[in-house]
Amino acid sequence: MPIPLDPRKKAAAVKIHVKTGAGVDITWADGHASHYEFAYLRDECPCATCNDERGKKDAFAAAAPAAGPFAPLPMFKPKPRAQAATVVGNYAVQISFTDGHATGIYSYDHLRTICPCAECAKAFRTAIP
């Protein structure tokens, strides 16, 4: 039996601004409005490959000693942009990025959970004691 969807995570309106590069704007059923930059969405991709890479990076960071004041310079990576986007049914958005990545399907449930505002961080990302 499927888990009932939290009504706060139901999208009322979705605007994807691929041509302008402005990102994704969602108005939720409860009236909350969220804005997502494409670079943020690329970093928060929910696909299995990206989840695995994040897990490896976290494990490496935990195992590596502190870099101290002379940490190596990070490699330059251009800011990812969206090349195309499609709505997947009534539950998600799929975005193709300029770095060639296109396998992430961003469910509305996931998007509301990762909403960058403090209100959503408190409501959806804090652990319940």
Side-chain angles (χ1 to χ4, degrees):
M1 178 177 259
I3 299 171
L5 182 66
D6 183 338
R8 298 172 298 171
K9 295 182 177 183
K10 184 174 189 319
V14 178
K15 293 180 183 172
I16 306 169
H17 308 282
V18 174
K19 288 183 182 178
T20 64
V24 177
D25 292 308
I26 300 177
T27 302
W28 301 98
D30 66 357
H32 181 76
S34 299
H35 175 75
Y36 306 89
E37 297 288 333
F38 287 122
Y40 176 73
L41 290 175
R42 179 61 183 93
D43 287 342
E44 294 294 325
C45 178
C47 80
T49 301
C50 291
N51 279 333
D52 187 47
E53 287 299 315
R54 274 191 294 275
K56 287 178 184 176
K57 191 182 291 185
D58 292 345
F60 180 75
F70 301 105
L73 295 173
M75 293 292 292
F76 172 76
K77 287 178 20 179
K79 188 176 176 182
R81 298 181 322 270
Q83 289 180 317
T86 55
V87 174
V88 180
N90 290 325
Y91 70 94
V93 173
Q94 185 171 16
I95 302 170
S96 298
F97 292 95
T98 54
D99 65 358
H101 190 69
T103 57
I105 296 177
Y106 299 82
S107 70
Y108 296 137
D109 180 77
H110 177 68
L111 287 168
R112 184 67 190 260
T113 300
I114 65 166
C115 176
C117 79
E119 178 185 330
C120 288
K122 184 178 179 184
F124 300 111
R125 293 192 299 272
T126 55
I128 299 171

